Amino acid sequence: MISYHMMDWGPMWWGAWGLFPFIWMLGYWLVFLVIAYLVYKDAEARGMNGLLWAVLVVLPWIGMLFLLIYLLKREEMGGSIRNAESILDERYARGELTRDEYLRMKEDLRRGRE
């Protein structure tokens, strides 16, 4: 008859396969922390709240959803100048600016890009 004791479970748990779930969990969190750091840096560079997006991305499972939302919501870099020009064009079209004001402001925007 084979008898099993509590001590017999030790090598099975701490053996090569026993630590596998723990290592997998650490790897999982490491990947999410790296992604959160990259999202933080990208959001800060785009003028968005980087810390908020990093925290939302690092949350397990829900973080994947927020990562997708962030990637869809983020704006292209340099888009603020194009937006400023389109706003200026709209204001001129509505008659809020004179021609001289419009040309001066447009030139200021172009000088700011260089």
Side-chain angles (χ1 to χ4, degrees):
M1 179 174 191
I2 299 173
S3 66
Y4 293 99
H5 301 296
M6 241 356 180
M7 298 301 287
D8 291 340
W9 290 96
M12 188 174 86
W13 172 248
W14 293 108
W17 290 104
L19 287 177
F20 182 73
F22 179 72
I23 293 170
W24 185 84
M25 184 183 66
L26 278 174
Y28 173 81
W29 279 104
L30 183 63
V31 166
F32 269 91
L33 288 174
V34 168
I35 291 172
Y37 175 74
L38 294 174
V39 167
Y40 169 79
K41 296 298 277 183
D42 185 63
E44 287 292 319
R46 295 173 189 275
M48 299 170 72
N49 188 343
L51 184 61
L52 171 68
W53 282 107
V55 168
L56 291 176
V57 166
V58 88
L59 296 173
W61 296 109
I62 294 175
M64 291 181 180
L65 174 68
F66 281 112
L67 176 62
L68 180 64
I69 291 170
Y70 173 75
L71 291 174
L72 294 174
K73 183 176 175 355
R74 72 182 190 157
E75 300 173 359
E76 290 297 320
M77 293 187 76
S80 62
I81 300 244
R82 256 185 265 123
N83 288 339
E85 284 184 2
S86 65
I87 291 170
L88 186 62
D89 292 341
E90 290 172 12
R91 288 185 63 198
Y92 180 65
R94 285 193 300 252
E96 294 176 10
L97 300 171
T98 66
R99 185 173 193 280
D100 292 334
E101 289 173 327
Y102 171 74
L103 293 174
R104 181 179 46 78
M105 289 180 180
K106 191 139 187 144
E107 184 61 33
D108 286 345
L109 286 175
R110 289 189 180 145
R111 266 191 259 132
R113 260 191 282 184
E114 297 170 0

